[in-house]
Short mmCIF file of all heavy atoms in Angstrom, two decimals:
data_model
loop_
_atom_site.label_atom_id
_atom_site.label_comp_id
_atom_site.label_asym_id
_atom_site.label_seq_id
_atom_site.Cartn_x
_atom_site.Cartn_y
_atom_site.Cartn_z
N TYR A 847 -14.12 8.28 6.98
CA TYR A 847 -12.67 8.46 7.06
C TYR A 847 -11.88 7.48 6.19
O TYR A 847 -10.66 7.42 6.28
CB TYR A 847 -12.23 8.35 8.52
CG TYR A 847 -12.76 9.48 9.37
CD1 TYR A 847 -13.81 9.25 10.27
CD2 TYR A 847 -12.25 10.77 9.26
CE1 TYR A 847 -14.32 10.29 11.05
CE2 TYR A 847 -12.76 11.81 10.03
CZ TYR A 847 -13.79 11.56 10.92
OH TYR A 847 -14.29 12.59 11.67
N GLY A 848 -12.58 6.71 5.37
CA GLY A 848 -11.90 5.81 4.45
C GLY A 848 -11.08 4.74 5.14
O GLY A 848 -9.94 4.46 4.78
N MET A 849 -11.66 4.12 6.16
CA MET A 849 -10.97 3.06 6.91
C MET A 849 -11.81 1.79 6.91
O MET A 849 -12.97 1.81 6.47
CB MET A 849 -10.70 3.52 8.35
CG MET A 849 -11.97 3.80 9.13
SD MET A 849 -11.66 4.30 10.87
CE MET A 849 -10.89 5.89 10.63
N THR A 850 -11.25 0.73 7.40
CA THR A 850 -12.02 -0.51 7.49
C THR A 850 -13.01 -0.43 8.65
O THR A 850 -12.82 0.36 9.60
CB THR A 850 -11.10 -1.71 7.73
OG1 THR A 850 -10.46 -1.57 9.01
CG2 THR A 850 -10.03 -1.80 6.63
N ILE A 851 -14.02 -1.26 8.57
CA ILE A 851 -15.00 -1.30 9.66
C ILE A 851 -14.34 -1.78 10.94
O ILE A 851 -14.65 -1.31 12.05
CB ILE A 851 -16.19 -2.20 9.28
CG1 ILE A 851 -16.98 -1.57 8.13
CG2 ILE A 851 -17.10 -2.45 10.48
CD1 ILE A 851 -18.15 -2.41 7.63
N GLU A 852 -13.37 -2.68 10.81
CA GLU A 852 -12.65 -3.20 11.98
C GLU A 852 -11.90 -2.06 12.68
O GLU A 852 -11.88 -1.97 13.91
CB GLU A 852 -11.68 -4.31 11.57
CG GLU A 852 -12.32 -5.62 11.15
CD GLU A 852 -13.01 -5.53 9.79
OE1 GLU A 852 -12.66 -4.60 9.02
OE2 GLU A 852 -13.88 -6.37 9.52
N LYS A 853 -11.27 -1.19 11.88
CA LYS A 853 -10.55 -0.05 12.43
C LYS A 853 -11.51 0.91 13.11
O LYS A 853 -11.23 1.43 14.20
CB LYS A 853 -9.77 0.66 11.32
CG LYS A 853 -9.07 1.94 11.76
CD LYS A 853 -8.00 1.68 12.80
CE LYS A 853 -7.23 2.96 13.13
NZ LYS A 853 -6.22 2.75 14.19
N ALA A 854 -12.65 1.15 12.48
CA ALA A 854 -13.65 2.04 13.06
C ALA A 854 -14.16 1.49 14.39
O ALA A 854 -14.31 2.23 15.37
CB ALA A 854 -14.80 2.23 12.09
N LYS A 855 -14.41 0.19 14.43
CA LYS A 855 -14.88 -0.44 15.67
C LYS A 855 -13.82 -0.32 16.76
O LYS A 855 -14.15 -0.05 17.92
CB LYS A 855 -15.22 -1.91 15.42
CG LYS A 855 -15.83 -2.59 16.64
CD LYS A 855 -16.17 -4.05 16.35
CE LYS A 855 -16.91 -4.67 17.52
NZ LYS A 855 -16.18 -4.52 18.81
N SER A 856 -12.55 -0.49 16.37
CA SER A 856 -11.46 -0.37 17.34
C SER A 856 -11.41 1.04 17.93
O SER A 856 -11.21 1.21 19.15
CB SER A 856 -10.13 -0.72 16.68
OG SER A 856 -9.05 -0.51 17.56
N MET A 857 -11.60 2.04 17.07
CA MET A 857 -11.60 3.42 17.54
C MET A 857 -12.75 3.67 18.51
O MET A 857 -12.57 4.31 19.55
CB MET A 857 -11.68 4.38 16.35
CG MET A 857 -10.42 4.41 15.49
SD MET A 857 -10.60 5.47 14.04
CE MET A 857 -10.88 7.07 14.81
N ASN A 858 -13.92 3.16 18.18
CA ASN A 858 -15.07 3.34 19.06
C ASN A 858 -14.90 2.60 20.37
O ASN A 858 -15.35 3.06 21.43
CB ASN A 858 -16.35 2.89 18.35
CG ASN A 858 -16.82 3.89 17.31
OD1 ASN A 858 -16.57 5.08 17.44
ND2 ASN A 858 -17.51 3.41 16.28
N ASP A 859 -14.24 1.45 20.31
CA ASP A 859 -13.95 0.71 21.55
C ASP A 859 -13.03 1.52 22.46
O ASP A 859 -13.19 1.51 23.69
CB ASP A 859 -13.30 -0.63 21.22
CG ASP A 859 -14.28 -1.64 20.64
OD1 ASP A 859 -15.49 -1.42 20.77
OD2 ASP A 859 -13.81 -2.65 20.05
N GLN A 860 -12.08 2.23 21.87
CA GLN A 860 -11.18 3.07 22.65
C GLN A 860 -11.93 4.21 23.31
O GLN A 860 -11.68 4.57 24.47
CB GLN A 860 -10.07 3.62 21.75
CG GLN A 860 -9.08 2.57 21.26
CD GLN A 860 -8.07 3.15 20.29
OE1 GLN A 860 -7.77 4.33 20.31
NE2 GLN A 860 -7.55 2.30 19.40
N VAL A 861 -12.90 4.80 22.58
CA VAL A 861 -13.71 5.88 23.15
C VAL A 861 -14.57 5.33 24.29
O VAL A 861 -14.72 5.98 25.34
CB VAL A 861 -14.59 6.53 22.07
CG1 VAL A 861 -15.51 7.58 22.70
CG2 VAL A 861 -13.73 7.17 20.99
N SER A 862 -15.12 4.14 24.10
CA SER A 862 -15.93 3.51 25.16
C SER A 862 -15.11 3.30 26.42
O SER A 862 -15.59 3.51 27.54
CB SER A 862 -16.49 2.17 24.67
OG SER A 862 -17.44 2.35 23.66
N ALA A 863 -13.86 2.89 26.23
CA ALA A 863 -12.97 2.67 27.38
C ALA A 863 -12.70 3.99 28.10
O ALA A 863 -12.65 4.04 29.34
CB ALA A 863 -11.66 2.04 26.91
N GLN A 864 -12.51 5.05 27.32
CA GLN A 864 -12.29 6.36 27.93
C GLN A 864 -13.53 6.82 28.69
O GLN A 864 -13.44 7.40 29.77
CB GLN A 864 -11.93 7.39 26.85
CG GLN A 864 -11.56 8.76 27.42
CD GLN A 864 -11.06 9.72 26.35
OE1 GLN A 864 -10.69 9.31 25.25
NE2 GLN A 864 -11.06 11.00 26.67
N ALA A 865 -14.71 6.55 28.12
CA ALA A 865 -15.96 6.93 28.77
C ALA A 865 -16.11 6.21 30.12
O ALA A 865 -16.60 6.80 31.10
CB ALA A 865 -17.14 6.61 27.87
N LYS A 866 -15.69 4.96 30.18
CA LYS A 866 -15.81 4.19 31.42
C LYS A 866 -15.00 4.81 32.55
O LYS A 866 -15.35 4.69 33.72
CB LYS A 866 -15.36 2.74 31.19
CG LYS A 866 -16.38 1.89 30.45
CD LYS A 866 -15.95 0.44 30.39
CE LYS A 866 -16.96 -0.41 29.63
NZ LYS A 866 -18.30 -0.39 30.27
N THR A 867 -13.90 5.50 32.21
CA THR A 867 -13.07 6.11 33.25
C THR A 867 -13.79 7.23 33.98
O THR A 867 -13.38 7.61 35.08
CB THR A 867 -11.75 6.65 32.67
OG1 THR A 867 -12.03 7.75 31.78
CG2 THR A 867 -10.98 5.56 31.93
N VAL A 868 -14.85 7.76 33.38
CA VAL A 868 -15.63 8.82 34.06
C VAL A 868 -17.04 8.33 34.38
O VAL A 868 -17.96 9.11 34.60
CB VAL A 868 -15.68 10.11 33.21
CG1 VAL A 868 -14.31 10.74 33.11
CG2 VAL A 868 -16.26 9.85 31.82
N GLY A 869 -17.21 6.99 34.38
CA GLY A 869 -18.48 6.41 34.81
C GLY A 869 -19.56 6.33 33.77
O GLY A 869 -20.74 6.14 34.11
N LEU A 870 -19.20 6.43 32.49
CA LEU A 870 -20.19 6.38 31.43
C LEU A 870 -20.13 5.03 30.70
O LEU A 870 -19.05 4.47 30.53
CB LEU A 870 -19.97 7.52 30.43
CG LEU A 870 -20.06 8.93 31.00
CD1 LEU A 870 -19.74 9.97 29.93
CD2 LEU A 870 -21.45 9.19 31.59
N ASP A 871 -21.27 4.56 30.26
CA ASP A 871 -21.36 3.25 29.60
C ASP A 871 -21.88 3.44 28.18
O ASP A 871 -23.07 3.64 27.96
CB ASP A 871 -22.31 2.35 30.40
CG ASP A 871 -22.32 0.91 29.89
OD1 ASP A 871 -21.38 0.54 29.16
OD2 ASP A 871 -23.27 0.18 30.22
N TYR A 872 -20.97 3.40 27.21
CA TYR A 872 -21.33 3.60 25.80
C TYR A 872 -21.61 2.26 25.13
O TYR A 872 -20.95 1.26 25.40
CB TYR A 872 -20.19 4.29 25.05
CG TYR A 872 -20.04 5.77 25.32
CD1 TYR A 872 -20.80 6.44 26.27
CD2 TYR A 872 -19.10 6.51 24.60
CE1 TYR A 872 -20.63 7.79 26.50
CE2 TYR A 872 -18.93 7.87 24.82
CZ TYR A 872 -19.70 8.51 25.77
OH TYR A 872 -19.53 9.86 26.00
N HIS A 873 -22.58 2.28 24.19
CA HIS A 873 -22.91 1.08 23.41
C HIS A 873 -22.94 1.45 21.93
O HIS A 873 -24.00 1.62 21.34
CB HIS A 873 -24.26 0.51 23.85
CG HIS A 873 -24.28 0.03 25.27
ND1 HIS A 873 -23.73 -1.17 25.66
CD2 HIS A 873 -24.75 0.61 26.40
CE1 HIS A 873 -23.88 -1.33 26.96
NE2 HIS A 873 -24.48 -0.26 27.44
N PHE A 874 -21.77 1.54 21.33
CA PHE A 874 -21.68 1.92 19.93
C PHE A 874 -22.34 0.88 19.02
O PHE A 874 -22.81 1.22 17.93
CB PHE A 874 -20.22 2.10 19.51
CG PHE A 874 -19.63 3.42 19.93
CD1 PHE A 874 -18.80 3.49 21.03
CD2 PHE A 874 -19.90 4.58 19.23
CE1 PHE A 874 -18.24 4.71 21.43
CE2 PHE A 874 -19.36 5.79 19.60
CZ PHE A 874 -18.52 5.86 20.71
N ASP A 875 -22.36 -0.36 19.46
CA ASP A 875 -22.91 -1.42 18.61
C ASP A 875 -24.41 -1.29 18.39
O ASP A 875 -24.95 -1.79 17.39
CB ASP A 875 -22.58 -2.81 19.19
CG ASP A 875 -23.07 -2.97 20.61
OD1 ASP A 875 -23.16 -1.96 21.35
OD2 ASP A 875 -23.35 -4.12 21.01
N THR A 876 -25.11 -0.62 19.31
CA THR A 876 -26.57 -0.48 19.17
C THR A 876 -27.03 0.98 19.06
O THR A 876 -28.23 1.24 19.01
CB THR A 876 -27.29 -1.13 20.36
OG1 THR A 876 -26.80 -0.57 21.59
CG2 THR A 876 -27.07 -2.64 20.36
N MET A 877 -26.10 1.93 19.03
CA MET A 877 -26.47 3.34 18.89
C MET A 877 -27.21 3.58 17.59
O MET A 877 -26.94 2.93 16.58
CB MET A 877 -25.21 4.23 18.92
CG MET A 877 -24.71 4.54 20.30
SD MET A 877 -23.25 5.61 20.22
CE MET A 877 -22.48 5.19 21.78
N ILE A 878 -28.14 4.53 17.64
CA ILE A 878 -28.94 4.85 16.45
C ILE A 878 -28.53 6.23 15.94
O ILE A 878 -28.95 7.26 16.47
CB ILE A 878 -30.44 4.83 16.78
CG1 ILE A 878 -30.84 3.46 17.34
CG2 ILE A 878 -31.26 5.16 15.54
CD1 ILE A 878 -32.28 3.39 17.82
N PRO A 879 -27.69 6.28 14.91
CA PRO A 879 -27.27 7.57 14.37
C PRO A 879 -28.46 8.32 13.76
O PRO A 879 -29.37 7.71 13.19
CB PRO A 879 -26.24 7.19 13.30
CG PRO A 879 -26.61 5.79 12.90
CD PRO A 879 -27.14 5.14 14.14
N THR A 880 -28.46 9.64 13.88
CA THR A 880 -29.59 10.42 13.38
C THR A 880 -29.20 11.89 13.28
O THR A 880 -28.10 12.28 13.70
CB THR A 880 -30.82 10.26 14.30
OG1 THR A 880 -31.95 10.91 13.70
CG2 THR A 880 -30.56 10.90 15.67
N ASN A 881 -30.08 12.69 12.75
CA ASN A 881 -29.92 14.13 12.74
C ASN A 881 -30.35 14.67 14.11
O ASN A 881 -31.39 14.28 14.63
CB ASN A 881 -30.79 14.73 11.63
CG ASN A 881 -30.58 16.22 11.46
OD1 ASN A 881 -30.91 17.01 12.34
ND2 ASN A 881 -30.02 16.61 10.33
N THR A 882 -29.56 15.56 14.69
CA THR A 882 -29.83 16.01 16.07
C THR A 882 -30.50 17.38 16.14
O THR A 882 -30.66 17.94 17.22
CB THR A 882 -28.52 16.06 16.88
OG1 THR A 882 -27.59 16.96 16.25
CG2 THR A 882 -27.90 14.68 17.01
N PHE A 883 -30.92 17.93 15.00
CA PHE A 883 -31.48 19.28 14.99
C PHE A 883 -32.70 19.40 15.90
O PHE A 883 -32.82 20.34 16.70
CB PHE A 883 -31.84 19.71 13.57
CG PHE A 883 -32.34 21.12 13.48
CD1 PHE A 883 -31.48 22.20 13.65
CD2 PHE A 883 -33.68 21.39 13.23
CE1 PHE A 883 -31.94 23.51 13.57
CE2 PHE A 883 -34.15 22.69 13.15
CZ PHE A 883 -33.28 23.76 13.32
N ASP A 884 -33.63 18.46 15.82
CA ASP A 884 -34.83 18.53 16.65
C ASP A 884 -34.51 18.34 18.13
O ASP A 884 -35.18 18.92 19.00
CB ASP A 884 -35.87 17.50 16.19
CG ASP A 884 -36.57 17.92 14.91
OD1 ASP A 884 -36.54 19.13 14.59
OD2 ASP A 884 -37.14 17.05 14.22
N ALA A 885 -33.50 17.54 18.43
CA ALA A 885 -33.07 17.40 19.82
C ALA A 885 -32.55 18.74 20.34
O ALA A 885 -32.77 19.10 21.51
CB ALA A 885 -31.99 16.32 19.94
N HIS A 886 -31.87 19.48 19.48
CA HIS A 886 -31.39 20.80 19.87
C HIS A 886 -32.54 21.78 20.03
O HIS A 886 -32.51 22.65 20.92
CB HIS A 886 -30.38 21.33 18.85
CG HIS A 886 -29.02 20.73 19.00
ND1 HIS A 886 -28.21 20.99 20.08
CD2 HIS A 886 -28.33 19.86 18.21
CE1 HIS A 886 -27.07 20.32 19.95
NE2 HIS A 886 -27.12 19.62 18.83
N ARG A 887 -33.56 21.67 19.20
CA ARG A 887 -34.74 22.51 19.38
C ARG A 887 -35.40 22.22 20.72
O ARG A 887 -35.85 23.13 21.43
CB ARG A 887 -35.75 22.29 18.24
CG ARG A 887 -35.32 22.88 16.91
CD ARG A 887 -36.53 23.11 16.01
NE ARG A 887 -37.21 21.89 15.66
CZ ARG A 887 -38.52 21.69 15.83
NH1 ARG A 887 -39.28 22.65 16.37
NH2 ARG A 887 -39.07 20.55 15.48
N LEU A 888 -35.42 20.95 21.07
CA LEU A 888 -35.99 20.56 22.37
C LEU A 888 -35.17 21.13 23.51
O LEU A 888 -35.72 21.57 24.53
CB LEU A 888 -36.06 19.03 22.47
CG LEU A 888 -36.65 18.45 23.75
CD1 LEU A 888 -38.05 19.00 24.00
CD2 LEU A 888 -36.68 16.93 23.69
N LEU A 889 -33.85 21.16 23.36
CA LEU A 889 -33.00 21.76 24.37
C LEU A 889 -33.33 23.24 24.54
O LEU A 889 -33.41 23.75 25.68
CB LEU A 889 -31.53 21.59 23.99
CG LEU A 889 -30.51 22.26 24.92
CD1 LEU A 889 -30.51 21.58 26.30
CD2 LEU A 889 -29.11 22.21 24.32
#
């Protein structure tokens, strides 16, 4: 999105806060991005 890493982290922090309101605990700092096609095949 052509933004600073600080801005991106702030956005992810906001999503984490929203997740907490429904009982979810997100860890964007350690998430492992990947292709999800095989996970969908498994589904």
Side-chain angles (χ1 to χ4, degrees):
Y847 294 106
M849 62 178 68
T850 65
I851 293 178
E852 289 72 21
K853 175 63 175 177
K855 185 180 186 306
S856 175
M857 290 176 62
N858 284 332
D859 287 344
Q860 291 175 26
V861 175
S862 292
Q864 185 174 343
K866 284 186 181 299
T867 66
V868 293
L870 300 176
D871 188 17
Y872 285 5
H873 296 282
F874 281 102
D875 56 331
T876 55
M877 278 181 205
I878 303 174
T880 187
N881 186 293
T882 60
F883 184 72
D884 284 340
H886 282 292
R887 287 202 297 127
L888 181 56
L889 176 67

